[in-house]
C-alpha cells in the first residue's frame, strides 16, 4: 500500500512571483539585517510587527517541486496531494482573481504532470471573484487529470464566511462533480485573545490554538446554517484532524439540543447532527502529532475517513542538517500507536484511504 500525504503545500512559481512583486501583506521580501536576514514570507497583518515580525524564512522547499519530491523520497512518501498554501487567492482584487486562479492551477497541474503517479493536487479558487467565475473554475478543475478537489480557507466569498447563502451554487457544484473540499485555516483568532505578553511566544499560540479553533468555528457555522442538510453529498477534508471538532462534538451537540432560540425557530427538527456529518461528509487528516488526538479523530469519523499528512514545508527542523522532520516522525508514530495492533488499518490511514477516497491512480 502506498504512503500518501494529503496535507502538503506548495507556493508555485506563478504565486511566488506575485508575492515578490508586493510590499503589502501577503508578500515575500529579502531583508539584509540579522536575525531575520534572507527571504521572508509574511502572510498575516500581525506578522509585520511583534515577535513574529517578518513572518517566517522561506527557502526553495516552499516553491521548488524538486524539493517536494526529495522530501517525499527521504520520508518514504509515495504520493503527495499538493495544495497551494495560505492565504491562497483570497486577497486578490476581484478583477484579477479568476485569471490568477487559472494560472496557478495550470502551474500546479504542470508540476503533477512532471511526476506521474507521485503527485496529485487540490486546486485553488478565485474566491474574491463572482460566483459564476468560481463555479466555472471548479468545473474546469473537475476536468483536469491530477486535480482531486480544492483547498479553501474559512473566509468564503469575499470574507462572508462559509455559512454565506451565496455559496450554495458553489457547494452544489462540489456535490455534483464529486470534488473534495480541503478546508484549511489562515486567520486564526483576533490578536487580543493571546494577551499582552503574546509577543514573547513566537508563532505558538496562533498556530497551535488559533488555527484549529478557526477551523472548528467555520465548520460549526456550516453546520448551524444547515449546509449539510441542504448538501448531503458535500465532502470536506478538515485540516489538523478537524481542529478541535472531534473532541468538542459532544459539547456542540449538547449546546444545540439546549438552545431555546434554535428550538423556537424550528431549527432542531430534521437537522443532521454533527456526529452524522462527521461519519458521512467529513474526512480528517492525521496532522495532530499525538496518539491521543488521533484516537479522538478516529473515534469521531472512523478509521476509514482519516488520512496521513505532513504539512510540509511548514514546521521544518530548526537545526540545519537534520534530514528527518520531527513533524513527520510524530504524525507517523501517532498513526502506529493509535492503531497498534492493526497493521491493515495503519496502512489504510497511511495511504489506502486516500487512494480510495481521492481516486488516486485513476
Ligand atoms: O507556520 C505557519 O504559519 C503555517 C501556515 O501558515 N500554514 C500552514 O499550513 N502551516 C503552518
Amino acid at each position: 500500500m502506498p504512503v500518501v500525504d494529503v496535507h502538503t503545500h506548495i507556493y508555485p512559481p506563478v504565486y511566488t512571483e506575485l508575492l515578490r512583486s508586493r510590499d503589502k501583506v501577503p508578500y515575500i521580501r529579502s531583508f539584509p539585517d540579522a536575525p531575520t536576514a534572507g527571504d521572508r514570507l509574511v502572510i498575516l497583518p500581525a506578522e509585520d510587527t511583534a515577535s513574529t515580525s517578518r513572518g517566517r524564512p522561506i527557502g526553495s522547499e516552499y516553491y521548488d517541486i524538486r524539493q517536494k519530491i526529495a522530501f517525499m523520497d527521504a520520508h518514504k512518501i509515495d504520493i503527495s496531494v499538493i495544495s497551494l498554501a495560505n492565504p491562497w487567492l483570497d486577497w486578490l482584487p476581484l478583477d484579477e482573481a479568476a485569471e490568477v486562479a487559472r494560472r496557478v492551477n495550470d502551474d500546479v497541474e504542470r508540476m503533477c504532470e512532471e511526476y506521474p503517479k507521485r503527485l496529485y493536487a487540490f486546486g485553488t479558487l478565485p474566491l474574491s471573484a463572482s460566483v459564476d467565475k468560481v463555479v466555472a473554475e471548479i468545473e474546469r478543475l473537475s476536468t483536469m487529470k491530477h486535480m482531486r478537489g480544492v483547498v479553501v480557507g474559512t473566509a468564503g466569498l469575499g470574507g462572508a464566511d462559509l455559512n454565506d447563502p451565496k455559496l450554495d451554487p458553489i457547494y452544489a457544484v462540489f456535490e455534483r462533480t464529486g470534488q473534495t473540499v480541503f478546508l484549511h485555516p489562515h486567520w486564526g483568532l483576533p490578536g487580543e485573545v493571546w494577551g499582552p505578553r503574546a509577543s514573547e511566544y513566537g508563532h505558538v499560540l496562533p498556530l497551535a490554538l488559533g488555527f484549529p479553533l478557526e477551523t472548528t468555528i467555520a465548520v460549526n457555522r456550516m453546520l448551524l446554517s444547515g449546509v449539510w442538510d441542504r448538501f448531503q453529498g458535500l465532502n470536506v477534508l478538515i485540516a489538523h484532524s478537524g481542529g478541535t471538532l472531534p473532541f468538542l462534538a459532544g459539547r456542540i451537540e449538547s449546546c444545540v439540543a439546549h438552545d431555546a432560540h434554535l428550538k423556537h425557530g424550528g431549527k432542531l427538527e430534521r437537522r443532521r447532527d454533527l456526529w452524522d456529518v462527521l461519519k458521512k461528509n467529513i474526512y480528517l487528516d492525521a496532522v495532530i502529532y499525538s496518539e491521543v488526538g488521533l484516537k479522538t479523530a478516529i473515534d469521531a469519523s472512523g478509521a476509514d475517513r482519516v488520512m496521513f499528512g505532513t504539512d510540509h514545508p511548514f514546521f521544518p527542523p530548526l537545526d540545519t542538517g537534520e534530514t528527518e522532520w520531527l513533524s513527520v516522525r510524530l504524525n507517523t508514530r501517532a498513526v502506529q500507536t493509535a492503531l497498534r495492533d492493526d497493521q491493515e488499518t495503519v496502512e489504510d490511514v497511511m495511504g489506502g484511504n486516500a487512494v480510495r477516497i481521492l481516486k488516486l491512480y485513476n
Side-chain angles (χ1 to χ4, degrees):
M1 192 56 78
V3 172
V4 181
D5 183 355
V6 299
H7 187 154
T8 177
H9 298 296
I10 187 97
Y11 289 108
V14 164
Y15 192 86
T16 46
E17 267 167 43
L18 211 58
L19 293 197
R20 283 183 198 281
S21 71
R22 292 171 54 82
D23 57 9
K24 282 206 284 281
V25 173
Y27 64 80
I28 296 172
R29 199 181 313 157
S30 194
F31 293 94
D33 45 322
T36 52
D39 275 3
R40 308 283 298 187
L41 169 71
V42 179
I43 51 181
L44 284 166
E47 291 174 347
D48 256 349
T49 55
S51 72
T52 56
S53 150
R54 298 180 176 176
R56 68 225 73 223
I58 177 171
S60 61
E61 68 279 12
Y62 281 79
Y63 47 79
D64 185 342
I65 199 62
R66 289 170 301 185
Q67 299 264 9
K68 180 74 74 191
I69 298 291
F71 166 83
M72 290 163 64
D73 290 343
H75 293 87
K76 300 192 170 33
I77 294 168
D78 300 293
I79 301 174
S80 284
V81 186
I82 55 178
S83 49
L84 178 63
N86 48 309
W88 313 283
L89 309 178
D90 295 8
W91 47 277
L92 277 168
L94 180 152
D95 55 334
E96 292 172 26
E99 172 56 20
V100 175
R102 266 194 296 280
R103 288 172 49 217
V104 167
N105 287 328
D106 288 347
D107 218 5
V108 170
E109 176 68 19
R110 180 188 51 71
M111 289 173 177
C112 297
E113 199 70 58
E114 256 180 71
Y115 293 95
K117 296 201 178 344
R118 298 225 56 201
L119 296 180
Y120 294 85
F122 293 115
T124 195
L125 296 179
L127 286 171
S128 55
S130 59
V131 171
D132 54 323
K133 291 217 161 107
V134 179
V135 167
E137 189 62 9
I138 299 170
E139 299 271 15
R140 194 178 81 94
L141 287 166
S142 74
T143 66
M144 291 165 82
K145 188 168 170 201
H146 299 92
M147 293 293 173
R148 290 299 184 270
V150 299
V151 61
V152 297
T154 62
L157 280 170
D161 290 326
L162 297 178
N163 55 356
D164 174 10
K166 287 206 195 73
L167 282 169
D168 277 11
I170 295 174
Y171 290 137
V173 75
F174 285 140
E175 198 178 42
R176 182 168 53 72
T177 58
Q179 294 187 70
T180 300
V181 179
F182 177 26
L183 176 61
H184 192 289
H186 169 65
W187 298 101
L189 297 182
E192 311 84 80
V193 305
W194 308 125
R197 294 183 59 186
S199 65
E200 296 170 37
Y201 311 138
H203 279 112
V204 172
L205 295 173
L207 284 179
L209 303 173
F211 262 29
L213 285 167
E214 175 191 349
T215 321
T216 307
I217 293 166
V219 175
N220 274 277
R221 288 188 176 134
M222 291 172 75
L223 184 81
L224 292 169
S225 66
V227 168
W228 278 291
D229 300 320
R230 299 197 296 286
F231 302 100
Q232 303 207 0
L234 175 68
N235 292 317
V236 181
L237 165 63
I238 308 181
H240 314 124
S241 299
T244 61
L245 205 60
F247 183 73
L248 291 179
R251 181 170 179 82
I252 293 161
E253 278 305 314
S254 168
C255 288
V256 170
H258 290 95
D259 195 280
H261 176 78
L262 294 185
K263 185 173 168 58
H264 292 145
K267 297 210 172 124
L268 299 187
E269 292 150 29
R270 291 185 304 281
R271 72 175 279 276
R272 294 182 60 205
D273 70 20
L274 180 53
W275 295 114
D276 189 44
V277 174
L278 275 163
K279 290 200 161 59
K280 293 184 184 148
N281 300 88
I282 286 177
Y283 301 118
L284 302 172
D285 71 21
V287 182
I288 191 73
Y289 313 99
S290 80
E291 177 185 345
V292 173
L294 193 65
K295 272 185 172 160
T296 314
I298 289 171
D299 284 349
S301 284
D304 57 338
R305 305 182 72 82
V306 176
M307 300 181 257
F308 175 73
T310 63
D311 211 354
H312 179 262
F314 293 103
F315 305 113
L318 293 182
D319 294 322
T320 49
E322 248 184 280
T323 47
E324 194 199 8
W325 286 38
L326 173 67
S327 52
V328 182
R329 187 161 73 241
L330 291 175
N331 282 326
T332 307
R333 193 192 295 153
V335 176
Q336 286 159 350
T337 52
L339 296 163
R340 60 178 68 85
D341 295 324
D342 186 351
Q343 193 50 34
E344 204 178 308
T345 312
V346 168
E347 287 182 16
D348 286 345
V349 172
M350 292 302 292
N353 291 342
V355 169
R356 172 178 47 81
I357 292 164
L358 299 174
K359 300 185 177 59
L360 307 181
Y361 294 141
N362 283 4

